[in-house]
Amino acid sequence: MNGIFFVIVLIAFGVAGVRQVMWEPPGGDAKSPMELLALAMVDTAEASVTLAIGLVGVMALFLGLMKVAEAGGMLVIIAKLTRPLMQKLFPDVPPGHPAMGAMILNMSASILGLGNAATPFGIRAMQELDKLNQVKGTATNAMVLFLAINTSSVTLLPTGVIALRAAAGSQDPAGIVPTTLFATICSTTIAIIIAKLCQKYWFLEPVPKVGTGAAPENSTDAPTMETGVPELDADSPANNLDVDELDLDDAGEAYPAWVSISILLGILVLIPLTVLFGKQISPWIMPGLMVGLLGFGVLRRVRVYEQFVEGAKDGFLVALRIIPYLVAILVAVGMFRSSGAMDMLISPMSFITNPLGMPAEALPMALLRPLSGSGAYGIVADIVNNPAIGPDSYTGYLVSTLQGSTETTFFVIAVYFGSVQVRRVRHALIAGLSADFAGVVGAVVAVSFLLAG
């Protein structure tokens, strides 16, 4: 992200500088390109703080509700429902191994949009999978498949994006729930297919040590050859999360297979219905979530008020913590747009993508999402808060769906594989980027159907 941030600012400055040198004052109060660039910096910095403050209430609401669901055991219920499917997807992982429980809980947290809960379970899963790895330093088939699913995980509740849309004044902030569900189903399906197909062509080979030839198959020494996975610094999430204390026991048992299959089929049936009748369903989503999650907590004998308040505190802190990130990204994006560099980049490509349902304004989001989560979030925030576009336009729905339905592939590879010193990622990048592409296509199809209905 350091490089991306600096390059965006540098290009904006360079383009504005060239335009400034060639600029001829038309008379009147017209501002020069450099003056417009400076004005954009100040305006977007102020707007980013206003946006973050507007997010406080909505983030507190959603994280409060999710805290009630988590305290009621919803994470474990989803884990038990998905366990039979997981055993089919990961035949190389023993059913009772801790890796299976960690993977199930990670994916369950992702389904509910609990990113903070998903990450430590994901790192723990990688650590447990590495214990089954006979070729240290090289990703196993199970590792690659798990990472591919993580970059495309099915999402029922994209709470962060809903909060952003609500803060931007959307009349239907939860309208992206059906489109996100459809897009993530597409991306996850492609991720699984590509990972399974490619594993036949990428063999498990040890990472050679520099100057000594190939490492023995059972070597446990840390690999030293760089193959694209960056080292994690001291502040990395993988080094700061207390993954050893995670409780995986509750995910150890599964519901009967017929229960899991019935619910899975029910969800599959709901997908086309939610897309086709999204406009009729979406007004019910937010009130329904409030009543449903609180009701679930009451049935599970959770002290819903106390848990809600505890979760809301986290929402308040999260909204405030993102202010520096929003300032950095939105200022960079504002400079990029004000300088004219944005038009120079997307105008040629838009002639191809516009007829395919990808407007020019959404192109930077689709290109940046696999590289930087914060960068993509900044672009979404900029678009939905742009009065000329807004959160309820086609572009607003599309970028919101893209943000909620794809993951930062390169970051996930760096954190998860870096936590176990895997340098040879095999086909993980191909599977992850294929899932990203499928998510973009799925988002375009779903949003087109939703807004055409």
Side-chain angles (χ1 to χ4, degrees):
M1 190 56 207
N2 291 314
I4 294 174
F5 175 68
F6 178 71
V7 167
I8 291 176
V9 172
L10 185 62
I11 291 175
F13 178 81
V15 172
V18 172
R19 293 180 61 197
Q20 178 76 21
V21 172
M22 302 174 61
W23 186 67
E24 296 181 1
D29 295 330
K31 290 182 171 57
S32 69
M34 273 297 173
E35 289 175 323
L36 291 174
L37 189 67
L39 185 62
M41 293 171 62
V42 175
D43 288 345
T44 51
E46 293 176 352
S48 60
V49 176
T50 303
L51 171 62
I53 292 174
L55 277 172
V56 170
V58 189
M59 288 294 290
L61 169 64
F62 278 106
L63 289 187
L65 291 175
M66 297 315 298
K67 185 69 173 179
V68 172
E70 187 179 357
M74 185 173 286
L75 201 64
V76 175
I77 291 174
I78 295 177
K80 290 182 177 181
L81 286 171
T82 56
R83 190 176 184 85
L85 177 62
M86 290 289 291
Q87 291 175 354
K88 296 290 185 182
L89 287 175
F90 295 90
D92 298 335
V93 180
H97 196 276
M100 186 66 76
M103 287 192 296
I104 292 172
L105 289 173
N106 165 266
M107 294 178 192
S108 301
S110 296
I111 288 173
L112 292 177
L114 300 173
N116 291 335
T119 302
F121 283 122
I123 294 172
R124 175 67 179 275
M126 276 295 177
Q127 291 174 346
E128 295 296 337
L129 287 172
D130 195 51
K131 295 178 181 178
L132 300 172
N133 188 3
Q134 298 298 312
V135 187
K136 299 300 181 183
T138 298
T140 63
N141 292 335
M143 285 179 170
V144 172
L145 179 57
F146 173 65
L147 185 134
I149 293 175
N150 250 273
T151 63
S152 61
S153 183
V154 174
T155 304
L156 295 176
L157 300 174
T159 52
V161 187
I162 293 175
L164 180 62
R165 289 172 54 79
S170 171
Q171 299 298 310
D172 186 17
I176 62 164
V177 169
T179 57
T180 300
L181 178 60
F182 179 83
T184 52
I185 291 279
C186 293
S187 60
T188 302
T189 301
I190 294 300
I192 294 172
I193 292 173
I194 296 298
K196 289 289 188 180
L197 289 177
C198 288
Q199 71 185 33
K200 301 176 182 178
Y201 305 102
W202 270 266
F203 301 104
L204 276 168
E205 297 177 352
V207 176
K209 296 180 181 180
V210 177
T212 60
E217 181 173 317
N218 295 321
S219 171
T220 58
D221 294 335
T224 57
M225 189 178 75
E226 292 291 344
T227 57
V229 179
E231 289 286 350
L232 299 172
D233 58 34
D235 295 326
S236 168
N239 290 332
N240 289 326
L241 294 169
D242 191 7
V243 296
D244 292 330
E245 300 299 323
L246 297 177
D247 182 11
L248 308 179
D249 294 337
D250 289 337
E253 298 179 359
Y255 291 125
W258 67 269
V259 174
S260 300
I261 294 173
S262 299
I263 292 178
L264 178 61
L265 291 176
I267 293 175
L268 292 176
V269 170
L270 284 174
I271 293 172
L273 294 178
T274 56
V275 173
L276 292 174
F277 301 101
K279 286 188 175 180
Q280 291 77 19
I281 295 173
S282 58
W284 293 78
I285 292 176
M286 287 185 66
L289 279 177
M290 184 83 175
V291 174
L293 293 178
L294 291 179
F296 172 79
V298 170
L299 290 176
R300 302 285 290 187
R301 299 182 179 181
V302 173
R303 299 180 67 86
V304 292
Y305 179 76
E306 287 84 351
Q307 291 294 334
F308 180 90
V309 170
E310 191 65 28
K313 291 178 184 177
D314 294 336
F316 179 81
L317 295 175
V318 167
L320 294 182
R321 277 200 302 265
I322 67 174
I323 289 179
Y325 301 96
L326 279 179
V327 170
I329 294 301
L330 289 184
V331 167
V333 172
M335 292 177 65
F336 199 70
R337 176 179 287 108
S338 176
S339 69
M342 182 79 79
D343 291 335
M344 294 172 59
L345 172 66
I346 64 179
S347 292
M349 299 176 64
S350 64
F351 287 107
I352 300 174
T353 60
N354 267 332
L356 300 176
M358 178 63 69
E361 296 84 358
L363 269 175
M365 165 66 189
L367 296 174
L368 189 59
R369 188 67 179 99
L371 298 172
S372 169
S374 59
Y377 188 86
I379 290 179
V380 174
D382 182 68
I383 289 175
V384 299
N385 284 278
N386 187 338
I389 302 175
D392 295 329
S393 64
Y394 174 85
T395 303
Y397 267 93
L398 181 59
V399 296
S400 300
T401 301
L402 290 174
Q403 178 69 18
S405 60
T406 55
E407 188 51 86
T408 314
T409 300
F410 288 92
F411 173 80
V412 173
I413 289 178
V415 171
Y416 283 16
F417 282 159
S419 66
V420 290
Q421 293 296 296
V422 165
R423 300 295 182 84
R424 180 162 289 164
V425 302
R426 299 175 68 218
H427 51 293
L429 188 58
I430 293 176
L433 293 179
S434 298
D436 291 337
F437 179 76
V440 171
V441 174
V444 169
V445 171
V447 173
S448 298
F449 269 108
L450 178 68
L451 297 186

Short mmCIF file of all heavy atoms in Angstrom, two decimals, residues 64-114:
data_model
loop_
_atom_site.label_atom_id
_atom_site.label_comp_id
_atom_site.label_asym_id
_atom_site.label_seq_id
_atom_site.Cartn_x
_atom_site.Cartn_y
_atom_site.Cartn_z
N GLY A 64 -22.90 -3.88 17.19
CA GLY A 64 -23.68 -4.27 18.36
C GLY A 64 -24.56 -5.47 18.08
O GLY A 64 -24.63 -6.42 18.86
N LEU A 65 -25.23 -5.46 16.93
CA LEU A 65 -26.07 -6.59 16.55
C LEU A 65 -25.24 -7.86 16.33
O LEU A 65 -25.64 -8.96 16.74
CB LEU A 65 -26.85 -6.26 15.27
CG LEU A 65 -27.95 -5.20 15.40
CD1 LEU A 65 -28.54 -4.88 14.04
CD2 LEU A 65 -29.05 -5.68 16.36
N MET A 66 -24.08 -7.70 15.68
CA MET A 66 -23.26 -8.88 15.43
C MET A 66 -22.67 -9.44 16.71
O MET A 66 -22.44 -10.64 16.84
CB MET A 66 -22.14 -8.54 14.44
CG MET A 66 -22.62 -8.11 13.06
SD MET A 66 -23.94 -9.14 12.37
CE MET A 66 -23.11 -10.70 12.26
N LYS A 67 -22.44 -8.58 17.71
CA LYS A 67 -21.96 -9.06 19.00
C LYS A 67 -23.01 -9.92 19.68
O LYS A 67 -22.69 -10.95 20.30
CB LYS A 67 -21.60 -7.86 19.89
CG LYS A 67 -20.98 -8.24 21.22
CD LYS A 67 -19.60 -8.83 21.05
CE LYS A 67 -18.92 -9.05 22.38
NZ LYS A 67 -17.57 -9.63 22.21
N VAL A 68 -24.27 -9.54 19.55
CA VAL A 68 -25.37 -10.35 20.10
C VAL A 68 -25.41 -11.71 19.41
O VAL A 68 -25.54 -12.75 20.06
CB VAL A 68 -26.72 -9.62 19.93
CG1 VAL A 68 -27.88 -10.52 20.32
CG2 VAL A 68 -26.74 -8.35 20.77
N ALA A 69 -25.29 -11.71 18.08
CA ALA A 69 -25.31 -12.97 17.34
C ALA A 69 -24.14 -13.86 17.72
O ALA A 69 -24.28 -15.07 17.90
CB ALA A 69 -25.29 -12.69 15.83
N GLU A 70 -22.95 -13.25 17.87
CA GLU A 70 -21.76 -14.02 18.24
C GLU A 70 -21.89 -14.59 19.64
O GLU A 70 -21.56 -15.76 19.88
CB GLU A 70 -20.53 -13.11 18.16
CG GLU A 70 -19.21 -13.83 18.36
CD GLU A 70 -18.03 -12.89 18.23
OE1 GLU A 70 -18.24 -11.70 17.94
OE2 GLU A 70 -16.90 -13.36 18.44
N ALA A 71 -22.42 -13.79 20.57
CA ALA A 71 -22.60 -14.28 21.94
C ALA A 71 -23.63 -15.39 22.01
O ALA A 71 -23.56 -16.27 22.87
CB ALA A 71 -23.02 -13.12 22.85
N GLY A 72 -24.60 -15.38 21.10
CA GLY A 72 -25.62 -16.42 21.07
C GLY A 72 -25.17 -17.70 20.42
O GLY A 72 -25.92 -18.69 20.39
N GLY A 73 -23.97 -17.71 19.84
CA GLY A 73 -23.44 -18.94 19.25
C GLY A 73 -23.75 -19.12 17.78
O GLY A 73 -23.65 -20.22 17.25
N MET A 74 -24.12 -18.04 17.09
CA MET A 74 -24.44 -18.18 15.67
C MET A 74 -23.25 -18.66 14.86
O MET A 74 -23.39 -19.41 13.88
CB MET A 74 -24.97 -16.86 15.11
CG MET A 74 -25.43 -16.94 13.67
SD MET A 74 -26.24 -15.43 13.08
CE MET A 74 -27.83 -15.56 13.93
N LEU A 75 -22.05 -18.22 15.26
CA LEU A 75 -20.84 -18.65 14.58
C LEU A 75 -20.69 -20.17 14.62
O LEU A 75 -20.38 -20.83 13.63
CB LEU A 75 -19.63 -17.99 15.25
CG LEU A 75 -18.33 -17.88 14.45
CD1 LEU A 75 -18.53 -16.99 13.24
CD2 LEU A 75 -17.23 -17.33 15.33
N VAL A 76 -20.94 -20.75 15.78
CA VAL A 76 -20.81 -22.19 15.96
C VAL A 76 -21.90 -22.93 15.19
O VAL A 76 -21.66 -24.00 14.61
CB VAL A 76 -20.86 -22.55 17.46
CG1 VAL A 76 -20.83 -24.06 17.65
CG2 VAL A 76 -19.69 -21.91 18.18
N ILE A 77 -23.10 -22.39 15.16
CA ILE A 77 -24.20 -23.02 14.43
C ILE A 77 -23.86 -23.12 12.94
O ILE A 77 -24.03 -24.18 12.31
CB ILE A 77 -25.51 -22.24 14.64
CG1 ILE A 77 -25.98 -22.38 16.09
CG2 ILE A 77 -26.59 -22.73 13.68
CD1 ILE A 77 -27.18 -21.53 16.43
N ILE A 78 -23.37 -22.02 12.38
CA ILE A 78 -22.99 -22.04 10.96
C ILE A 78 -21.83 -23.02 10.74
O ILE A 78 -21.78 -23.73 9.74
CB ILE A 78 -22.61 -20.62 10.50
CG1 ILE A 78 -23.84 -19.71 10.56
CG2 ILE A 78 -22.04 -20.65 9.09
CD1 ILE A 78 -23.55 -18.28 10.19
N ALA A 79 -20.90 -23.06 11.68
CA ALA A 79 -19.77 -23.98 11.57
C ALA A 79 -20.24 -25.43 11.51
O ALA A 79 -19.75 -26.23 10.71
CB ALA A 79 -18.82 -23.77 12.75
N LYS A 80 -21.20 -25.78 12.35
CA LYS A 80 -21.69 -27.15 12.38
C LYS A 80 -22.48 -27.49 11.11
O LYS A 80 -22.47 -28.62 10.64
CB LYS A 80 -22.57 -27.36 13.61
CG LYS A 80 -21.78 -27.36 14.92
CD LYS A 80 -22.68 -27.61 16.12
CE LYS A 80 -21.86 -27.67 17.41
NZ LYS A 80 -22.71 -27.93 18.60
N LEU A 81 -23.16 -26.48 10.55
CA LEU A 81 -23.91 -26.71 9.32
C LEU A 81 -22.99 -26.94 8.13
O LEU A 81 -23.31 -27.71 7.23
CB LEU A 81 -24.83 -25.51 9.04
CG LEU A 81 -26.07 -25.36 9.93
CD1 LEU A 81 -26.74 -24.02 9.66
CD2 LEU A 81 -27.05 -26.50 9.69
N THR A 82 -21.85 -26.25 8.11
CA THR A 82 -20.96 -26.34 6.95
C THR A 82 -19.95 -27.47 7.05
O THR A 82 -19.25 -27.76 6.08
CB THR A 82 -20.19 -25.02 6.77
OG1 THR A 82 -19.49 -24.71 7.98
CG2 THR A 82 -21.15 -23.88 6.46
N ARG A 83 -19.86 -28.13 8.20
CA ARG A 83 -18.83 -29.15 8.39
C ARG A 83 -18.91 -30.30 7.39
O ARG A 83 -17.88 -30.71 6.83
CB ARG A 83 -18.88 -29.69 9.82
CG ARG A 83 -17.68 -30.58 10.14
CD ARG A 83 -17.70 -31.04 11.59
NE ARG A 83 -16.51 -31.80 11.88
CZ ARG A 83 -15.34 -31.29 12.23
NH1 ARG A 83 -15.22 -29.98 12.34
NH2 ARG A 83 -14.29 -32.05 12.47
N PRO A 84 -20.11 -30.87 7.09
CA PRO A 84 -20.15 -31.96 6.09
C PRO A 84 -19.59 -31.54 4.73
O PRO A 84 -18.89 -32.32 4.07
CB PRO A 84 -21.64 -32.31 6.01
CG PRO A 84 -22.20 -31.89 7.33
CD PRO A 84 -21.43 -30.66 7.70
N LEU A 85 -19.92 -30.32 4.30
CA LEU A 85 -19.39 -29.83 3.03
C LEU A 85 -17.88 -29.65 3.09
O LEU A 85 -17.16 -29.97 2.13
CB LEU A 85 -20.07 -28.50 2.68
CG LEU A 85 -19.58 -27.80 1.40
CD1 LEU A 85 -19.84 -28.69 0.18
CD2 LEU A 85 -20.26 -26.44 1.23
N MET A 86 -17.38 -29.17 4.22
CA MET A 86 -15.94 -28.96 4.37
C MET A 86 -15.17 -30.27 4.28
O MET A 86 -14.06 -30.32 3.73
CB MET A 86 -15.66 -28.27 5.70
CG MET A 86 -16.13 -26.84 5.76
SD MET A 86 -15.13 -25.74 4.74
CE MET A 86 -13.60 -25.76 5.67
N GLN A 87 -15.74 -31.32 4.82
CA GLN A 87 -15.05 -32.62 4.76
C GLN A 87 -14.94 -33.13 3.33
O GLN A 87 -13.98 -33.83 2.99
CB GLN A 87 -15.79 -33.62 5.64
CG GLN A 87 -15.69 -33.31 7.13
CD GLN A 87 -16.54 -34.23 7.99
OE1 GLN A 87 -17.31 -35.04 7.47
NE2 GLN A 87 -16.42 -34.10 9.29
N LYS A 88 -15.89 -32.76 2.48
CA LYS A 88 -15.82 -33.13 1.07
C LYS A 88 -14.79 -32.28 0.33
O LYS A 88 -14.07 -32.78 -0.55
CB LYS A 88 -17.19 -32.97 0.40
CG LYS A 88 -18.27 -33.88 0.96
CD LYS A 88 -18.03 -35.32 0.57
CE LYS A 88 -19.17 -36.22 1.01
NZ LYS A 88 -18.93 -37.65 0.68
N LEU A 89 -14.72 -31.01 0.68
CA LEU A 89 -13.81 -30.10 -0.01
C LEU A 89 -12.35 -30.35 0.38
O LEU A 89 -11.44 -30.15 -0.44
CB LEU A 89 -14.17 -28.65 0.31
CG LEU A 89 -15.42 -28.07 -0.34
CD1 LEU A 89 -15.69 -26.66 0.18
CD2 LEU A 89 -15.28 -28.05 -1.86
N PHE A 90 -12.14 -30.78 1.63
CA PHE A 90 -10.77 -30.95 2.13
C PHE A 90 -10.56 -32.41 2.56
O PHE A 90 -10.44 -32.70 3.76
CB PHE A 90 -10.51 -30.01 3.30
CG PHE A 90 -10.55 -28.56 2.95
CD1 PHE A 90 -11.73 -27.85 3.01
CD2 PHE A 90 -9.40 -27.90 2.53
CE1 PHE A 90 -11.77 -26.50 2.69
CE2 PHE A 90 -9.43 -26.55 2.20
CZ PHE A 90 -10.62 -25.85 2.26
N PRO A 91 -10.49 -33.33 1.60
CA PRO A 91 -10.33 -34.74 1.96
C PRO A 91 -8.98 -35.05 2.59
O PRO A 91 -8.83 -36.07 3.28
CB PRO A 91 -10.50 -35.47 0.62
CG PRO A 91 -10.12 -34.45 -0.40
CD PRO A 91 -10.57 -33.13 0.15
N ASP A 92 -7.98 -34.17 2.38
CA ASP A 92 -6.64 -34.41 2.93
C ASP A 92 -6.52 -34.03 4.40
O ASP A 92 -5.51 -34.33 5.03
CB ASP A 92 -5.59 -33.62 2.13
CG ASP A 92 -5.54 -34.04 0.67
OD1 ASP A 92 -5.93 -35.19 0.39
OD2 ASP A 92 -5.13 -33.23 -0.17
N VAL A 93 -7.54 -33.35 4.93
CA VAL A 93 -7.52 -32.91 6.33
C VAL A 93 -8.39 -33.85 7.15
O VAL A 93 -9.58 -33.98 6.87
CB VAL A 93 -8.02 -31.46 6.46
CG1 VAL A 93 -7.98 -31.02 7.93
CG2 VAL A 93 -7.20 -30.53 5.59
N PRO A 94 -7.83 -34.53 8.16
CA PRO A 94 -8.64 -35.43 9.00
C PRO A 94 -9.82 -34.68 9.62
O PRO A 94 -9.66 -33.53 10.07
CB PRO A 94 -7.65 -35.91 10.07
CG PRO A 94 -6.30 -35.72 9.45
CD PRO A 94 -6.42 -34.53 8.56
N PRO A 95 -11.01 -35.28 9.65
CA PRO A 95 -12.20 -34.59 10.18
C PRO A 95 -12.03 -34.04 11.60
O PRO A 95 -12.57 -33.00 11.93
CB PRO A 95 -13.29 -35.67 10.14
CG PRO A 95 -12.82 -36.63 9.09
CD PRO A 95 -11.32 -36.63 9.16
N GLY A 96 -11.27 -34.74 12.43
CA GLY A 96 -11.11 -34.30 13.81
C GLY A 96 -9.90 -33.42 14.06
O GLY A 96 -9.62 -33.06 15.20
N HIS A 97 -9.18 -33.05 12.99
CA HIS A 97 -7.97 -32.24 13.16
C HIS A 97 -8.33 -30.80 13.50
O HIS A 97 -9.33 -30.27 12.99
CB HIS A 97 -7.13 -32.29 11.89
CG HIS A 97 -5.73 -31.81 12.05
ND1 HIS A 97 -5.38 -30.48 12.00
CD2 HIS A 97 -4.57 -32.49 12.30
CE1 HIS A 97 -4.08 -30.35 12.18
NE2 HIS A 97 -3.57 -31.56 12.37
N PRO A 98 -7.54 -30.12 14.35
CA PRO A 98 -7.84 -28.72 14.69
C PRO A 98 -7.92 -27.80 13.47
O PRO A 98 -8.60 -26.78 13.52
CB PRO A 98 -6.67 -28.33 15.60
CG PRO A 98 -6.19 -29.61 16.19
CD PRO A 98 -6.42 -30.66 15.14
N ALA A 99 -7.22 -28.15 12.40
CA ALA A 99 -7.27 -27.31 11.20
C ALA A 99 -8.68 -27.21 10.65
O ALA A 99 -9.11 -26.15 10.18
CB ALA A 99 -6.33 -27.87 10.13
N MET A 100 -9.44 -28.33 10.73
CA MET A 100 -10.80 -28.34 10.21
C MET A 100 -11.68 -27.39 11.01
O MET A 100 -12.44 -26.59 10.44
CB MET A 100 -11.37 -29.75 10.24
CG MET A 100 -12.74 -29.88 9.59
SD MET A 100 -12.72 -29.57 7.81
CE MET A 100 -12.01 -31.11 7.21
N GLY A 101 -11.57 -27.43 12.32
CA GLY A 101 -12.37 -26.54 13.15
C GLY A 101 -12.03 -25.08 12.92
O GLY A 101 -12.92 -24.22 12.84
N ALA A 102 -10.73 -24.76 12.78
CA ALA A 102 -10.32 -23.37 12.55
C ALA A 102 -10.81 -22.87 11.20
O ALA A 102 -11.26 -21.73 11.08
CB ALA A 102 -8.80 -23.26 12.65
N MET A 103 -10.71 -23.72 10.16
CA MET A 103 -11.19 -23.31 8.83
C MET A 103 -12.68 -23.05 8.85
O MET A 103 -13.17 -22.07 8.26
CB MET A 103 -10.84 -24.38 7.80
CG MET A 103 -9.37 -24.45 7.42
SD MET A 103 -9.06 -25.46 5.96
CE MET A 103 -9.57 -27.08 6.54
N ILE A 104 -13.43 -23.93 9.50
CA ILE A 104 -14.89 -23.77 9.54
C ILE A 104 -15.28 -22.49 10.26
O ILE A 104 -16.14 -21.74 9.79
CB ILE A 104 -15.52 -25.00 10.23
CG1 ILE A 104 -15.36 -26.24 9.34
CG2 ILE A 104 -17.00 -24.77 10.52
CD1 ILE A 104 -15.79 -27.53 10.00
N LEU A 105 -14.65 -22.21 11.38
CA LEU A 105 -14.97 -20.99 12.13
C LEU A 105 -14.55 -19.74 11.36
O LEU A 105 -15.23 -18.71 11.39
CB LEU A 105 -14.31 -21.02 13.50
CG LEU A 105 -14.92 -22.02 14.49
CD1 LEU A 105 -14.10 -22.10 15.76
CD2 LEU A 105 -16.36 -21.65 14.81
N ASN A 106 -13.43 -19.83 10.65
CA ASN A 106 -12.99 -18.70 9.82
C ASN A 106 -14.02 -18.38 8.74
O ASN A 106 -14.42 -17.22 8.56
CB ASN A 106 -11.64 -19.03 9.18
CG ASN A 106 -11.30 -18.10 8.02
OD1 ASN A 106 -11.58 -18.41 6.87
ND2 ASN A 106 -10.69 -16.98 8.32
N MET A 107 -14.48 -19.40 8.04
CA MET A 107 -15.45 -19.18 6.97
C MET A 107 -16.80 -18.75 7.52
O MET A 107 -17.51 -17.94 6.91
CB MET A 107 -15.57 -20.44 6.12
CG MET A 107 -14.31 -20.79 5.37
SD MET A 107 -14.46 -22.32 4.44
CE MET A 107 -12.75 -22.62 4.01
N SER A 108 -17.17 -19.28 8.67
CA SER A 108 -18.43 -18.87 9.29
C SER A 108 -18.41 -17.39 9.65
O SER A 108 -19.39 -16.67 9.46
CB SER A 108 -18.71 -19.72 10.54
OG SER A 108 -18.75 -21.09 10.23
N ALA A 109 -17.27 -16.94 10.18
CA ALA A 109 -17.14 -15.52 10.53
C ALA A 109 -17.18 -14.65 9.27
O ALA A 109 -17.77 -13.56 9.28
CB ALA A 109 -15.84 -15.29 11.29
N SER A 110 -16.59 -15.13 8.18
CA SER A 110 -16.62 -14.37 6.93
C SER A 110 -18.04 -14.28 6.38
O SER A 110 -18.44 -13.23 5.86
CB SER A 110 -15.71 -15.04 5.89
OG SER A 110 -14.36 -15.02 6.31
N ILE A 111 -18.80 -15.35 6.50
CA ILE A 111 -20.18 -15.35 6.02
C ILE A 111 -20.99 -14.27 6.72
O ILE A 111 -21.83 -13.59 6.12
CB ILE A 111 -20.83 -16.74 6.25
CG1 ILE A 111 -20.24 -17.74 5.25
CG2 ILE A 111 -22.35 -16.68 6.10
CD1 ILE A 111 -20.67 -19.18 5.49
N LEU A 112 -20.73 -14.08 8.01
CA LEU A 112 -21.46 -13.08 8.79
C LEU A 112 -20.84 -11.69 8.69
O LEU A 112 -21.33 -10.75 9.31
CB LEU A 112 -21.51 -13.50 10.26
CG LEU A 112 -22.34 -14.73 10.58
CD1 LEU A 112 -22.23 -15.08 12.05
CD2 LEU A 112 -23.80 -14.51 10.19
N GLY A 113 -19.77 -11.55 7.93
CA GLY A 113 -19.14 -10.25 7.79
C GLY A 113 -18.30 -9.84 8.98
O GLY A 113 -18.00 -8.67 9.17
N LEU A 114 -17.89 -10.82 9.81
CA LEU A 114 -17.09 -10.54 11.00
C LEU A 114 -15.61 -10.63 10.65
O LEU A 114 -14.91 -11.57 11.03
CB LEU A 114 -17.43 -11.53 12.12
CG LEU A 114 -18.88 -11.54 12.60
CD1 LEU A 114 -19.11 -12.67 13.59
CD2 LEU A 114 -19.23 -10.21 13.24
#
